[in-house]
Amino acid sequence: MLTFELLEKHGEHEQIVYCHDKDCGLKAIIAVHNTTLGPALGGTRMWPYKSEEDALVDVLRLSKGMTYKASAAGLNLGGGKAVIIGDPKKDKTEALFRTFGAYVNSLNGKYITAEDVGTTVHDMAYVFMETPYVTGIPVSFGGSGDPSPFTAHGVLMGIKASVKEKLKSDSLKGVRVAVQGLGNVGHHLVEYLVKEGAQVTVADIDKDKVKSVCDKFGLSAVDPEQIVTSECDVFAPCALGAGINDQTISKLKCKIVAGGANNQLAEHRHGDALLEMGVLYAPDYVINAGGLMNVFVELEGYSRDRAFEKTTQVYDNLMQVYRISREENIATHRAADRLAEKRIKSIANLRQHHHGRMARPFSTLKEMTSRQK
Ligand code: NAD
């Protein structure tokens, strides 16, 4: 497909920037999807894409996803994303990331980047040498560091909201939660759940992680293949995406699906099927927005306490989604999209009537430019 055909097919993006440098081998694409709510924020993915078309489609899809995520989270941020075409194991150099940083800088804060799949905090430190418009930089540079405790805390709030909605309870005491995946997000979530008195079962394909978590919290584990089908109140996917698919969906024995993983539904129709089955699904991009909230606080001048406080918002955000789902009789993943679209539309209207005044982060970006390098 030709580039303009792809752009037309994948939504109304505001701006696409192709970044190229022969000397350092940079081939990257930045996509700014929508800046109605604020600057477009989204990480930089480095991946050995098979074709330029694959890279473009990925960045168009991911940047649009960020617009929805930020909007549903109630943040004054738009959606953007960048992809660098290359092998993260072989092709990383200082010059590559600094050149990419110069391209990010040329957008003057319209796009703010961060680490993502294939890039690290260390790479972002190089980007930061060329532009202030980068988040998730090391703590020593005034950044917010590892987002996963905040993501997990937001997921905990999301599980509480879901338990309130489905089981009509304000407490997690005795609630049976099956956590799939004990990585960065999963192990923090387990800790929070245990503190709340939940009855937690875990699984991971990494036996060392299972042993360490079970020993630490006195929990029992099940085989990774069995966690999806375990009898529980809440199934919390915290591993890879597409866990709710044709093979697993009919075997679910939970009342709620609420976890931190991205892209939990293999296809949209699986969300509709969960509604029909009477299983409450917490839409992934709403429940796992705690990490994005943490990065947002970095833009305002970082405070760990404020970031934790902000993640409690996930509870209300999900309650709004559940209300829309009930009132409009639609599946929760569709209700989340409606919530996000409605907010963007209402703020766009507000702008029209108030001479295009920008949301606050554009002024807080000035603070970013004054951070120590
Ligand atoms: P991670 O790589 O640290 O952890 C993933 C864990 O899942 C690993 O321990 C892995 O062994 C395990 N796993 C993989 N396949 C499995 C299987 N079939 N069964 C059981 N366990 C399996 O990743 P993470 O940072 O904890 O992220 C987890 C998920 O949350 C991902 O989908 C990620 O995109 C999403 N997410 C993470 C953050 C964050 O702040 N880290 C923010 C938003 C979304």
Side-chain angles (χ1 to χ4, degrees):
M1 246 188 191
L2 297 170
T3 304
F4 283 109
E5 285 173 12
L6 283 171
L7 292 179
E8 218 169 297
K9 185 174 165 205
H10 288 275
E12 300 122 6
H13 290 71
E14 287 179 16
Q15 193 173 0
I16 312 294
V17 181
Y18 277 77
C19 319
H20 178 241
D21 187 275
K22 210 166 63 176
D23 292 334
C24 69
L26 177 72
K27 281 184 189 167
I29 311 172
I30 299 171
V32 174
H33 177 256
N34 190 299
T35 57
T36 304
L37 299 175
L41 190 140
T44 298
R45 185 163 287 196
M46 185 166 185
W47 197 252
Y49 291 100
K50 288 206 176 70
S51 69
E52 284 170 29
E53 183 173 322
D54 285 358
L56 179 61
V57 169
D58 210 27
V59 79
L60 293 175
R61 184 179 61 82
L62 293 167
S63 57
K64 184 175 176 183
M66 289 307 295
T67 297
Y68 279 72
K69 184 168 185 167
S71 176
L75 299 173
N76 284 333
L77 287 174
K81 201 88 183 181
V83 294
I84 297 177
I85 302 173
D87 185 339
K89 291 203 186 86
K90 291 195 301 224
D91 300 332
K92 286 187 180 182
T93 60
E94 175 183 352
L96 182 101
F97 283 106
R98 292 186 70 164
T99 308
F100 174 69
Y103 272 104
V104 171
N105 201 49
S106 72
L107 288 167
N108 281 319
K110 191 178 195 181
Y111 168 65
I112 303 170
T113 197
E115 64 177 301
D116 197 74
V117 175
T119 59
T120 64
V121 170
H122 182 72
D123 303 329
M124 289 308 124
Y126 284 134
V127 174
F128 186 47
M129 288 176 188
E130 303 302 324
T131 183
Y133 305 119
V134 51
T135 56
I137 51 171
V139 177
S140 54
F141 290 98
S144 57
D146 176 14
S148 49
F150 302 91
T151 303
H153 196 251
V155 173
L156 175 76
M157 293 300 140
I159 291 177
K160 284 187 172 189
S162 308
V163 165
K164 174 77 180 168
E165 175 75 12
K166 184 80 186 167
L167 309 179
K168 312 291 176 223
S169 168
D170 286 312
S171 164
L172 294 186
K173 227 180 170 85
V175 172
R176 295 162 306 158
V177 187
V179 179
Q180 179 191 44
L182 300 171
N184 294 318
V185 176
H187 88 264
H188 285 295
L189 177 63
V190 168
E191 184 168 356
Y192 297 145
L193 287 167
V194 168
K195 268 195 200 138
E196 296 280 337
Q199 217 180 300
V200 183
T201 312
V202 298
D204 196 296
I205 48 172
D206 184 331
K207 291 198 171 74
D208 292 340
K209 284 184 184 167
V210 172
K211 183 171 175 354
S212 136
V213 167
C214 287
D215 287 354
K216 192 167 167 192
F217 301 108
L219 303 176
S220 58
V222 296
D223 281 346
E225 306 83 56
Q226 283 169 7
I227 192 85
V228 190
T229 57
S230 56
E231 187 123 14
C232 60
D233 298 306
V234 183
F235 171 54
C238 296
L240 305 177
I244 309 294
N245 54 44
D246 284 340
Q247 280 72 46
T248 58
I249 197 159
S250 60
K251 296 184 198 149
L252 288 174
K253 292 198 195 87
C254 58
K255 299 177 179 122
I256 295 165
V257 174
N262 274 320
N263 306 317
Q264 291 174 30
L265 305 174
E267 291 175 49
H268 271 258
R269 66 184 167 86
H270 294 115
D272 301 326
L274 287 176
L275 176 70
E276 274 172 32
M277 290 161 61
V279 174
L280 182 68
Y281 169 60
D284 44 17
Y285 71 78
V286 183
I287 192 172
N288 73 17
L292 183 63
M293 290 170 171
N294 181 51
V295 156
F296 181 80
V297 172
E298 190 180 323
L299 301 183
E300 295 185 321
Y302 192 60
S303 147
R304 206 174 155 83
D305 287 347
R306 202 148 33 78
F308 265 112
E309 177 60 32
K310 196 143 195 96
T311 59
T312 59
Q313 182 68 37
V314 171
Y315 186 99
D316 290 338
N317 295 345
L318 267 179
M319 282 307 198
Q320 281 193 69
V321 169
Y322 294 150
R323 187 176 46 73
I324 296 171
S325 163
R326 261 187 276 113
E327 288 176 359
E328 303 189 19
N329 196 23
I330 51 172
T332 52
H333 64 300
R334 298 190 191 279
D337 286 358
R338 270 199 205 167
L339 175 72
E341 284 161 6
K342 203 168 150 203
R343 180 165 176 249
I344 293 168
K345 208 166 166 197
S346 68
I347 303 301
N349 283 344
L350 178 154
R351 286 279 149 63
Q352 240 181 356
H353 295 115
H354 294 273
H355 315 293
R357 201 171 57 83
M358 283 298 186
R360 233 156 55 89
F362 277 103
S363 61
T364 60
L365 285 180
K366 286 202 192 97
E367 289 168 26
M368 292 183 77
T369 53
S370 63
R371 287 183 305 184
Q372 282 286 300
K373 287 206 177 179

